[in-house]
Amino acid sequence: MTKIKKLLVANRGEIALRIMRTAREMGIATVAVYSEADRLSPHVKFADEAVCLGPPPSNQSYLLGDKIVNVCKELGVDAIHPGYGFLSENAEFARKVTGAGLIFVGPSPESIEVMGSKLAAKQAAARFNIPLVPGTEEAISDISEAKSRANEIGYPILIKASAGGGGKGMRIVESESEFEEQMQRAVSEAQSAFGDGAVFIEKYITSPRHIEIQVLGDQHGKIVYLFERECSIQRRHQKVIEEAPSAVVSPEMRKAMGEAAVGVAKACAYYGAGTVEFIVDDKLNFYFLEMNTRLQVEHPVTEMITGKDLVREQILIAEGKPLSFSQEDLKIHGHSLEIRVYAEDPKNNFLPDIGKLVTYRRPQGPGIRVDDGFEEGMDIPIYYDPMIAKLITHGENRQDAIDRMIRAINDFRITGIQTTLDFCRFALQHEAFVSGNFDTKFVEQYFTPKMLEPAFTQEEQELLAALAVEFFQKEENRLSPIHPVKALPSTKWKNRLI
Ligand code: ADP
Ligand code: ADP
Ligand code: MG
């Protein structure tokens, strides 16, 4: 068992800051790395030491694994936390880190490797009798064989890149006639985006929910699940709103999914924090999708309902400590929601809207948490993910968490760029969301940019504003007939009174 004394966080933005906060609470010194675009970022200011890696593009900065390992040697760092994205699911990097005598805060390189390939992951899960979406077990090498399998499964089907991630590398095929063309496109896309042309097919579940299970495993073989997160509100297969617990998961289903997730983790001798993703059909059958071998963007909702700090647990596990609690100790407290606030314009097809955060004021109050990596006046760099903040609320029950989130959205003041705040408010107030009766098609089904337009036109709004001013002036006159401020002769006195 090694005590970590100095931790380098190989990431940027909100997640770098979030990890360093926990490290500091644990008495661990922190080292930030940054690109030239992030020189003034809060994660750089927060860290005890900070090292510039290079120019803004990720492949010249945050993805330079060797350089990061060298920084560790120079600064006497003993562990690296990779956060999410960037090098977090790169088995070769994890191997380099351990090879250099450093601790990788994450699972073993072997677990990353198995779960990094969706096909290998499914094969491992199948050995543990975990339910899988019907599909091919191997990468497709023979088109006519694949076609006959697709006919057996029934259209629509999904062609997926085995190495895909971040919602990319998927193609829906509606009928046999499109099969060959879509297959060729999928292979060439997978090759160019992920450097691996292996694709497979899966039945396309038409009204699916995405529900995932958080797991934690120590290096002594103990694995527990920290319940589910509902992530069905998505756009382009990317999550937008997440919550815990799910409105449709019963205690029995929770237990079954939790145990299946622990099975998947066991299938790859997993340790660390990980997420087992399932797709759930309209009859609430669940099927294993993939495992993410890292801390997830939406991990805070699990922290809010379990009271566990997942980064702290990751660090303790990496030090070799046994988990200090068992499955029976874990309980769900209340309900939590997270929205991802992006610098995107929902009225303009969600195009990134990069620029300066002219005004940036966070909401506050009980049950509200903001994980972000920006300050007022900063520019959002164009080089990375356009997420500005994660807004998280906790309440006694689902409706409390929703009401609190809407209040928090209304109190979040961001000007200078367009954000997805209004879009999230629209989703949270929608009857389908409130009732819990929704699936991953929610945005497609219910959202049009028109819905974000105010109920009144610009002209009507101006007229209303003018009427309001008149009304309040009359009201003021009625209540204070002497009008002391207005009646004052000199501006000198007026200024003093004000
Ligand atoms: P999560 O799975 O944690 O909910 P995302 O799917 O949005 O979150 O992924 C987290 C981050 O990692 C995002 O910035 C996403 O773009 C990036 N990412 C995930 N997988 C990959 C991948 N295979 N290749 C490139 N980027 C990825
Ligand atoms: P990624 O690595 O990009 O996260 P996933 O396999 O986790 O890939 O899928 C991302 C999303 O795509 C899911 O959350 C779900 O919305 C959708 N999806 C994936 N597989 C299926 C399927 N078989 N049927 C319907 N939707 C799917
Ligand atoms: Mg996924």
Side-chain angles (χ1 to χ4, degrees):
M1 232 174 300
T2 345
K3 173 88 187 77
I4 296 174
K5 292 188 207 73
K6 201 181 217 185
L7 177 76
L8 180 143
V9 181
N11 215 298
R12 63 181 294 279
E14 66 89 15
I15 197 64
L17 197 54
R18 187 260 164 275
I19 293 164
M20 287 194 271
R21 286 186 177 130
T22 290
R24 184 156 298 163
E25 286 167 19
M26 296 173 80
I28 298 172
T30 53
V31 179
V33 290
Y34 61 97
S35 75
E36 284 160 15
D38 287 336
R39 199 173 284 283
L40 302 174
S41 289
H43 84 274
V44 177
K45 293 183 191 154
F46 185 90
D48 298 313
E49 288 168 274
V51 178
C52 182
L53 292 172
S58 308
N59 60 4
Q60 296 170 49
S61 53
Y62 296 105
L63 290 174
L64 296 178
D66 287 329
K67 191 159 183 179
I68 291 170
V69 170
N70 284 338
V71 168
C72 290
K73 288 186 195 151
E74 277 164 32
L75 298 184
V77 166
D78 38 15
I80 295 184
H81 194 308
Y84 57 69
F86 297 126
L87 296 164
S88 63
E89 290 173 285
N90 184 324
E92 202 191 320
F93 175 68
R95 227 168 245 132
K96 249 178 222 161
V97 172
T98 46
L102 302 165
I103 295 174
F104 181 74
V105 182
S108 69
E110 293 74 30
S111 300
I112 299 178
E113 218 147 53
V114 172
M115 292 298 159
S117 150
K118 290 189 204 286
L119 270 171
K122 288 176 88 158
Q123 284 156 10
R127 285 197 288 276
F128 278 67
N129 294 322
I130 312 291
L132 302 179
V133 186
T136 50
E137 277 82 53
E138 308 273 333
I140 292 165
S141 50
D142 181 332
I143 290 249
S144 63
E145 208 179 290
K147 246 184 176 171
S148 71
R149 181 76 185 112
N151 282 330
E152 266 169 48
I153 296 167
Y155 286 90
I157 59 140
L158 199 59
I159 305 179
K160 272 191 182 180
S162 181
K168 297 180 189 73
M170 278 180 270
R171 286 194 158 263
I172 302 170
V173 188
E174 300 286 351
S175 66
E176 193 179 345
S177 61
E178 315 167 7
F179 189 88
E180 279 190 52
E181 191 197 330
Q182 295 284 31
M183 179 64 76
Q184 273 154 8
R185 281 202 204 166
V187 172
S188 75
E189 271 172 18
Q191 188 61 48
S192 64
F194 310 109
D196 175 359
V199 298
F200 61 100
I201 56 183
E202 246 177 31
K203 175 156 190 61
Y204 183 67
I205 314 275
T206 36
S207 296
R209 296 177 81 113
H210 173 121
I211 301 180
E212 58 188 34
I213 304 283
Q214 174 72 53
V215 298
L216 277 178
D218 64 21
Q219 297 194 46
H220 311 280
K222 182 168 168 184
I223 305 175
V224 298
Y225 61 90
L226 285 84
F227 316 113
E228 78 277 9
R229 288 186 290 257
E230 163 83 62
C231 311
S232 300
I233 307 291
Q234 304 184 344
R235 233 176 29 77
R236 297 191 202 121
H237 307 301
Q238 281 268 50
K239 302 155 188 166
V240 192
I241 300 179
E242 298 105 345
E243 63 181 312
S246 162
V248 294
V249 174
S250 64
E252 297 71 41
M253 183 174 169
R254 179 167 297 128
K255 186 162 188 280
M257 289 184 83
E259 284 168 2
V262 169
V264 172
K266 284 198 172 135
C268 65
Y270 200 82
Y271 59 79
T275 296
V276 181
E277 298 189 331
F278 294 94
I279 195 145
V280 177
D281 70 15
D282 51 3
K283 296 185 188 65
L284 297 182
N285 298 307
F286 60 87
Y287 307 95
F288 170 62
L289 260 189
E290 63 159 348
M291 181 169 188
N292 292 328
T293 55
R294 55 171 162 90
L295 191 65
Q296 202 99 347
V297 174
E298 58 275 19
H299 76 278
V301 294
T302 300
E303 297 187 323
M304 301 298 262
I305 62 153
T306 59
K308 296 283 175 214
D309 177 334
L310 291 178
V311 172
R312 184 186 168 87
E313 296 305 326
Q314 283 188 301
I315 292 174
L316 294 173
I317 292 166
E319 288 180 333
K321 299 211 171 65
L323 281 178
S324 64
F325 49 88
S326 57
Q327 193 62 55
E328 296 70 45
D329 299 327
L330 293 163
K331 297 273 174 317
I332 296 179
H333 303 278
H335 199 98
S336 180
L337 288 170
E338 172 183 285
I339 64 165
R340 300 191 189 188
V341 185
Y342 283 100
E344 289 176 345
D345 185 359
K347 294 201 198 80
N348 189 12
N349 204 23
F350 293 90
L351 280 181
D353 192 43
I354 304 297
K356 192 188 269 306
L357 285 171
V358 176
T359 318
Y360 186 73
R361 261 174 279 147
R362 300 167 184 90
Q364 292 185 326
I368 290 178
R369 164 172 168 183
V370 181
D371 280 21
D372 62 9
F374 289 103
E375 296 289 348
E376 191 166 272
M378 280 178 67
D379 284 307
I380 314 273
I382 54 166
Y383 304 95
Y384 320 105
D385 192 274
M387 191 169 79
I388 312 168
K390 300 188 308 203
L391 176 55
I392 303 124
T393 61
H394 184 251
E396 261 184 53
N397 54 48
R398 189 166 186 266
Q399 192 57 50
D400 286 349
I402 296 177
D403 293 344
R404 189 159 270 167
M405 182 62 88
I406 290 167
R407 196 274 288 169
I409 291 175
N410 292 338
D411 285 354
F412 214 145
R413 289 270 173 279
I414 304 179
T415 67
I417 50 160
Q418 297 296 321
T419 74
T420 48
L421 277 173
D422 286 351
F423 163 76
C424 289
R425 181 178 37 225
F426 155 80
L428 293 163
Q429 288 176 328
H430 195 280
E431 182 275 324
F433 184 82
V434 173
S435 68
N437 184 19
F438 56 88
D439 57 40
T440 59
K441 301 283 165 55
F442 177 91
V443 178
E444 241 173 87
Q445 217 171 337
Y446 302 117
F447 178 71
T448 61
K450 240 184 146 34
M451 283 159 176
L452 300 184
E453 280 171 17
F456 298 102
T457 63
Q458 185 72 24
E459 214 173 309
E460 285 165 339
Q461 282 182 62
E462 279 164 18
L463 186 68
L464 277 174
L467 285 171
V469 168
E470 201 182 305
F471 171 80
F472 285 115
Q473 270 171 358
K474 277 193 188 147
E475 192 72 350
E476 198 183 324
N477 293 349
R478 191 170 66 80
L479 294 174
S480 52
I482 308 167
H483 334 300
V485 176
K486 276 188 212 138
L488 277 174
S490 99
T491 49
K492 188 175 142 211
W493 282 102
K494 190 169 160 184
N495 287 344
R496 242 190 229 190
L497 270 171
I498 289 167

